[in-house]
Amino acid sequence: MQSIAQKTEWALYPLQTQMAMVQPHWYAAYTCANHEKRVAAELGAREVEHFLPVYSSVRRWKDRRVNLDLPLFPGYVFVHLALRERLRVVQIPSVVRLVGFGGLPTELPDTEMEIMRSGLSQSLCAEPHPFLTVGRRVRITGGPFAGLEGVLKRRKNNLRVVVTLELIQRSVAVDVDAAVGHLGGVLDLETVSVG
């Protein structure tokens, strides 16, 4: 049985927050520098659904070349959980906090995260890009990233779409030519209304 204080505290939260307490959503967990893989391993051990997108990078050292898998969004691991279970994440030593505003974690769009997960699992060319909000906005209408919106960029003779996660102010560049050739996807080149 709940006490009067617990009922009153619960009533102070808006309805949207109350729903987030019980329904799982995607959140960004901010981690200590270079601890993303450790956090992902610990989340796996605690059976928390998580997503750590990585990309392959060749680093040249003095005597050899090394192929490294680096986080696509440095400093962040994405977790899918109900807010009432957030202690399972924030108690991990290398997790700083769940990203949010006003003391409450802010959820990421579920559809956008699912598209990112499925698109990046097909090992298409994607790499980090500086945070970008200005440019010609496009919507990918086909292929593994269908439904995502971003800014169209040209690199050499290839088209790229820079997809931005506004909450964490990080961007990732996706090779559109590879996506188009992979599953016959296309771009909707009409300008998308901005907020």
Side-chain angles (χ1 to χ4, degrees), residues 106-189:
T106 302
E107 62 190 57
L108 294 163
D110 288 336
T111 54
E112 192 172 310
M113 290 304 298
E114 291 302 330
I115 292 170
M116 284 273 247
R117 276 183 79 177
S118 64
L120 292 172
S121 69
Q122 297 182 18
S123 65
L124 295 174
C125 183
E127 59 187 35
H129 192 278
F131 182 63
L132 184 64
T133 56
V134 178
R136 182 160 187 186
R137 307 260 325 153
V138 295
R139 178 180 292 116
I140 302 174
T141 58
F145 293 105
L148 285 183
E149 292 181 8
V151 176
L152 186 65
K153 289 207 51 144
R154 195 174 294 278
R155 181 178 177 192
K156 298 181 182 173
N157 287 329
N158 294 333
L159 288 177
R160 303 184 107 189
V161 174
V162 178
V163 178
T164 299
L165 291 178
E166 297 287 336
L167 178 65
I168 60 173
Q169 296 199 345
R170 295 278 194 262
S171 298
V172 60
V174 177
D175 240 344
V176 175
D177 292 342
V180 169
H182 187 68
L183 290 176
V186 293
L187 286 176
D188 178 7
L189 292 176

Side-chain angles (χ1 to χ4, degrees), residues 64-128:
R64 65 184 183 268
R65 289 178 185 229
V66 177
N67 194 9
L68 299 174
D69 287 334
L70 300 173
L72 201 52
F73 299 99
Y76 296 93
V77 176
F78 303 103
V79 293
H80 190 243
L81 53 91
L83 277 182
R84 68 177 175 202
E85 299 172 356
R86 68 182 177 268
L87 281 180
R88 293 172 57 194
V89 175
V90 296
Q91 287 179 338
I92 296 173
S94 297
V95 173
V96 178
R97 68 178 180 280
L98 292 178
V99 179
F101 302 103
L104 289 174
T106 302
E107 62 190 57
L108 294 163
D110 288 336
T111 54
E112 192 172 310
M113 290 304 298
E114 291 302 330
I115 292 170
M116 284 273 247
R117 276 183 79 177
S118 64
L120 292 172
S121 69
Q122 297 182 18
S123 65
L124 295 174
C125 183
E127 59 187 35

Side-chain angles (χ1 to χ4, degrees), residues 25-98:
H25 294 285
W26 283 101
Y27 298 94
Y30 181 59
T31 67
C32 294
N34 301 321
H35 284 235
E36 299 90 355
K37 289 181 183 178
R38 248 181 246 151
V39 169
E42 184 66 30
L43 287 168
R46 293 179 184 215
E47 297 179 355
V48 175
E49 185 180 358
H50 65 281
F51 173 48
L52 175 62
V54 295
Y55 71 102
S56 189
S57 176
V58 177
R59 299 295 167 106
R60 203 163 123 195
W61 291 346
K62 193 175 187 180
D63 58 342
R64 65 184 183 268
R65 289 178 185 229
V66 177
N67 194 9
L68 299 174
D69 287 334
L70 300 173
L72 201 52
F73 299 99
Y76 296 93
V77 176
F78 303 103
V79 293
H80 190 243
L81 53 91
L83 277 182
R84 68 177 175 202
E85 299 172 356
R86 68 182 177 268
L87 281 180
R88 293 172 57 194
V89 175
V90 296
Q91 287 179 338
I92 296 173
S94 297
V95 173
V96 178
R97 68 178 180 280
L98 292 178

